[in-house]
Amino acid sequence: QVQLVESGGGLVQPGGSLRLSCAASGSMFDMLAMAWYRQVPGKQRDLVADITSSGSTNYADSVKGRFTISRDNGKNTVYLQMDSLKPEDTADYYCKAELSTRSIRYHFWGQGTQVTVSS
């Protein structure tokens, strides 16, 4: 299975920036579709951004123009660069990997990292 280790969360002031990292184990990273989700207590976990194995990206409307997802296959790592942070970005952020085979989709989740945007 794939293990995901996240880092980079913390406390930042509104308008500031953070860069989240998610390092994946294994030799199949190039085949994985990666995504970042976030969750506020009491609410569902929502997709923030995703990136396919070919590099195609997708963003939630709330973060378009401010967040950038990228991947470094040589480091088995996916990143989420978060700029112009707002208080409403405060949440637990989770990294997800998806591996698709001929008949089954496998999903793997990171442990989550907290992001707090406050003055």
Side-chain angles (χ1 to χ4, degrees):
Q1 61 178 314
V2 177
Q3 290 184 299
L4 305 174
V5 180
E6 302 169 352
S7 62
L11 174 65
V12 65
Q13 295 187 60
S17 298
L18 283 175
R19 190 192 196 195
L20 305 183
S21 299
C22 175
S25 65
S27 60
M28 63 179 73
F29 183 78
D30 292 7
M31 296 288 100
L32 299 174
M34 305 296 296
W36 287 96
Y37 286 73
R38 67 186 181 186
Q39 184 173 27
V40 177
K43 295 186 177 181
Q44 68 178 30
R45 189 173 297 181
D46 294 324
L47 176 69
V48 176
D50 62 69
I51 183 166
T52 68
S53 59
S54 62
S56 180
T57 59
N58 174 66
Y59 298 91
D61 288 341
S62 59
V63 306
K64 285 182 179 177
R66 300 188 298 119
F67 290 12
T68 303
I69 188 170
S70 62
R71 64 193 298 160
D72 186 337
N73 291 344
K75 296 181 178 180
N76 277 20
T77 301
V78 64
Y79 304 95
L80 185 67
Q81 177 66 43
M82 304 185 293
D83 299 319
S84 301
L85 283 163
K86 305 175 180 180
E88 47 263 49
D89 294 319
T90 296
D92 292 324
Y93 284 72
Y94 297 88
C95 179
K96 189 190 82 171
E98 179 180 317
L99 175 64
S100 295
T101 66
R102 293 171 59 188
S103 59
I104 302 175
R105 298 184 186 90
Y106 298 90
H107 299 270
F108 308 93
W109 289 91
Q111 79 286 352
T113 184
Q114 187 175 51
V115 172
T116 302
V117 184
S118 177
S119 59

